Amino acid sequence: MEFDSIECVSSSDGIEEDEIPQLHPHIIRSQFSSSKTTTHKNNNNNNGSSILCDGNNGGIVIHPATSVHELLECPVCTNSMYPPIHQCHNGHTICSTCKARVHNRCPTCRQELGDIRCLALEKVAESLELPCKFGSLGCPEIFPYYSKLKHEAACNFRPYNCPYAGSECAAVGDIPYLVTHLRDDHKVDMHSGCTFNHRYVKSNPREVENATWMLTVFNCFGQYFCLHFEAFQLGMAPVYMAFLRFMGDETDAQNYTYSLEVGGNGRKLIWEGTPRSIRDSHRKVRDSHDGLVIQRNMALFFSGGDRKELKLRVTGRIWKEQQNPDEGACIPNLCS
């Protein structure tokens, strides 16, 4: 749903059998295999490295030149494998997610996979320590193999999702990339300064269809903030809501405070709070009502006139809490 007019003033699953890739995965023979000792040559390695597997003991001997990371790579999705790691009777391994996708059929030899675990390879994984996959984005951490996924799910260096709420945008990236993406791809209004004054006009405010109406991005204190204003249905009646999100992590968002004010006819509502990080989705923030919420009747009262047209003016400011080194107290730093 679009505004009739907006004025902005800134004061500054499955995979078919034919689709299964014919790859050459690493062959691991564990205690479920025959007692024959097998040497598997790594044809892709110019050093002629090999993997020696003992079927009787379920042991695995990896020659130094062989990449253990390659052994733990699923031949279908190419992601790292985590327990349970499955194998067919011929020793070909596959991750548990892809086992279901390939309809329990080995993608290499087409044999039925069954429920055979490759315990030897799982044991090898326990001894590994790997860097975070977001190392190229600045994360210096190294973790045991089985702890790596948990860290990466909450890593502060992981990419951010696009904060635009008007569509299901799949773009991800760092903050500079997302700012450019919002400006060029979503045509979002960009403003500099830490105070704002928006006027929202809607000719028929009784027609609300859970629509996101507006997103504006502000550059303030060298950081970026997303100001959302929208209408959505709450129970049987529509409400209007404005809230701010910080383009960064939650710990950094705690350094800032913002206020929003709307009023008319000698009355006003004021909201003050901490901006939420864009790590929290737009819907999560909206559904928590963490912002300035205006009931329809109150919004029409603020609009004045015959109450048939929505005319809301929302003003606000952002400030940064700074620590007073002498008293240990936080004092506001207002942006001019």
Side-chain angles (χ1 to χ4, degrees):
M1 183 180 292
E2 300 289 340
F3 275 111
D4 293 336
S5 65
I6 299 174
E7 298 176 5
C8 172
V9 179
S10 177
S11 52
S12 2
D13 80 43
I15 298 178
E16 297 298 328
E17 182 173 326
D18 294 339
E19 297 176 349
I20 298 173
Q22 290 295 313
L23 303 176
H24 300 283
H26 319 288
I27 299 178
I28 309 294
R29 300 190 190 279
S30 71
Q31 63 266 40
F32 300 103
S33 305
S34 66
S35 60
K36 182 179 179 180
T37 299
T38 305
T39 300
H40 170 60
K41 290 291 183 180
N42 186 347
N43 295 325
N44 296 326
N45 193 320
N46 294 330
N47 296 326
S49 60
S50 62
I51 306 165
L52 184 63
C53 306
D54 188 342
N56 283 332
N57 301 320
I60 176 171
V61 179
I62 305 170
H63 287 196
T66 302
S67 171
V68 179
H69 298 169
E70 290 179 6
L71 294 177
L72 291 165
E73 183 180 280
C74 174
V76 177
C77 66
T78 70
N79 293 327
S80 297
M81 294 187 290
Y82 292 85
I85 299 175
H86 296 277
Q87 69 171 37
C88 71
H89 287 280
N90 292 322
H92 305 124
T93 56
I94 189 171
C95 74
S96 57
T97 300
C98 290
K99 180 176 181 286
R101 295 176 62 205
V102 299
H103 309 295
N104 203 36
R105 184 74 60 86
C106 176
T108 302
C109 64
R110 306 298 192 192
Q111 296 297 314
E112 184 176 352
L113 286 169
D115 293 316
I116 304 175
R117 293 262 303 266
C118 186
L119 301 180
L121 191 55
E122 292 180 9
K123 202 69 176 177
V124 169
E126 289 180 1
S127 65
L128 295 181
E129 289 190 347
L130 302 177
C132 173
K133 72 176 181 180
F134 302 121
S136 61
L137 300 178
C139 183
E141 302 293 341
I142 297 177
F143 293 89
Y145 187 82
Y146 292 147
S147 302
K148 183 170 172 283
L149 280 183
K150 183 178 180 180
H151 161 78
E152 290 172 350
C155 178
N156 289 337
F157 292 92
R158 71 191 188 279
Y160 295 89
N161 295 320
C162 173
Y164 190 77
S167 64
E168 296 297 329
C169 182
V172 296
D174 58 15
I175 299 303
Y177 168 80
L178 289 180
V179 170
T180 302
H181 166 70
L182 289 170
R183 182 193 65 204
D184 296 344
D185 297 333
H186 294 297
K187 310 302 180 185
V188 169
D189 289 334
M190 300 284 176
H191 298 276
S192 295
C194 300
T195 61
F196 40 89
N197 185 347
H198 286 292
R199 183 172 180 263
Y200 302 98
V201 179
K202 190 73 180 71
S203 60
N204 189 349
R206 298 181 184 277
E207 294 181 359
V208 178
E209 299 174 353
N210 290 314
T212 296
W213 283 4
M214 182 133 183
L215 170 64
T216 307
V217 173
F218 291 89
N219 184 355
C220 173
F221 293 110
Q223 304 290 340
Y224 289 93
F225 299 82
C226 297
L227 176 64
H228 298 264
F229 184 83
E230 62 182 83
F232 61 96
Q233 203 78 15
L234 183 62
M236 299 299 294
V239 296
Y240 310 98
M241 183 175 177
F243 57 92
L244 198 72
R245 287 201 291 166
F246 175 73
M247 295 188 70
D249 281 321
E250 182 69 27
T251 53
D252 295 323
Q254 297 296 323
N255 296 324
Y256 301 91
T257 305
Y258 76 102
S259 66
L260 297 172
E261 179 178 318
V262 61
N265 285 335
R267 306 288 190 273
K268 65 181 178 181
L269 290 175
I270 300 176
W271 164 268
E272 183 175 305
T274 301
R276 297 280 287 273
S277 166
I278 60 171
R279 295 289 190 198
D280 290 334
S281 69
H282 161 269
R283 180 175 293 274
K284 180 178 180 180
V285 179
R286 190 199 75 177
D287 291 350
S288 68
H289 304 162
D290 191 1
L292 178 65
V293 179
I294 313 162
Q295 302 294 330
R296 181 178 64 181
N297 288 340
M298 183 63 73
L300 293 175
F301 177 79
F302 289 153
S303 300
D306 56 8
R307 299 165 63 93
K308 293 182 179 179
E309 185 178 45
L310 179 70
K311 296 179 180 179
L312 288 178
R313 184 175 296 278
V314 178
T315 62
R317 64 188 179 95
I318 305 167
W319 65 93
K320 185 175 183 179
E321 301 288 353
Q322 288 189 331
Q323 193 76 18
N324 187 326
D326 297 327
E327 302 177 6
C330 289
I331 57 175
N333 179 13
L334 301 181
C335 179
S336 58

